[in-house]
Amino acid sequence: MSRIGNMPITVPKGVKVAVQGNLVNVEGPKGKLSQELASSFITVVVKDDLVTVSRANDAKQTKAFHGLYRNLINNMVTGVSTGFTKALVINGVGYKAEVQGKLLVLNLGFSTDFFVAIPDSLKVTVEGNNQKVVVAGYDKQLVGLFASEIRSLRKPEPYKGKGIRYETETIRKKVGKTGVK
């Protein structure tokens, strides 16, 4: 029995959830999201301010879809009402970031700068002396994907900790060479 799938989703004020066949639409003050249900064994019911997800049988794949779609719908409801943020910390001498219009310009110690196009539904801000990049948006998948693309430009290295890391991430540092004695 899926414990996550059985929990009902509470819909806050100002958010509308509509189910049309296999398509779930969520609309709120921050934006509009939709998710198609790939399994015909999963049903979504909207009553008052609660959304419940139920399954038709106890097959292993159906149980997996049950929890998955409940969480996806919950993320959509949370996203259009409050939104999601991911913070990245840039660590290194001379490393910096700045936003120029719809571009994020990153100087990461290479001979040229990186120019990353910011998607329309995301908002990117640079804080703290060009050392912290905050990605905000209403689509959790898009926020995480864009943050991982930024991080992949210069992953943190284990000796000095230079690079781009998530704010919640900790880097285990290695001990360098000690030399010949």
Side-chain angles (χ1 to χ4, degrees):
M1 185 176 275
S2 173
R3 294 177 188 207
I4 293 173
N6 288 333
M7 293 190 301
I9 302 165
T10 57
V11 180
K13 287 186 169 47
V15 176
K16 295 180 204 166
V17 179
V19 181
Q20 301 165 344
N22 274 357
L23 192 68
V24 178
N25 294 315
V26 179
E27 189 175 348
K30 297 226 179 226
K32 214 178 189 182
L33 292 171
S34 63
Q35 175 68 44
E36 187 175 347
L37 304 177
S39 176
S40 60
F41 298 114
I42 303 296
T43 56
V44 179
V45 177
V46 180
K47 257 190 189 170
D48 300 328
D49 287 342
L50 289 177
V51 177
T52 55
V53 180
S54 59
R55 64 177 185 255
N57 58 32
D58 286 339
K60 188 173 183 178
Q61 188 66 44
T62 307
K63 286 181 180 181
F65 279 139
H66 187 209
L68 169 75
Y69 286 123
R70 188 264 175 207
N71 241 3
L72 288 176
I73 294 169
N74 186 41
N75 287 341
M76 291 191 316
V77 169
T78 305
V80 297
S81 60
T82 59
F84 295 101
T85 59
K86 274 270 201 206
L88 297 148
V89 176
I90 299 173
N91 187 12
V93 177
Y95 291 11
K96 63 180 181 175
E98 62 180 312
V99 177
Q100 296 178 353
K102 290 302 268 175
L103 288 176
L104 176 66
V105 181
L106 297 164
N107 185 345
L108 301 174
F110 295 110
S111 60
T112 58
D113 294 346
F114 286 103
F115 295 92
V116 183
I118 301 170
D120 292 333
S121 61
L122 295 183
K123 182 182 175 200
V124 178
T125 56
V126 179
E127 301 172 355
N129 200 15
N130 298 332
Q131 297 297 313
K132 184 177 178 184
V133 178
V134 179
V135 181
Y138 58 86
D139 189 356
K140 186 173 186 175
Q141 181 182 358
L142 192 59
V143 168
L145 179 67
F146 189 70
S148 70
E149 286 174 359
I150 294 171
R151 183 184 182 275
S152 69
L153 296 175
R154 186 77 174 214
K155 290 184 180 173
E157 55 98 14
Y159 295 102
K160 293 182 180 177
K162 292 168 44 174
I164 302 174
R165 65 175 174 85
Y166 296 115
E167 189 175 42
T168 57
E169 181 181 17
T170 56
I171 304 298
R172 290 180 47 196
K173 292 189 179 178
K174 294 181 180 179
V175 179
K177 292 194 280 187
T178 57
V180 179
K181 292 184 180 184

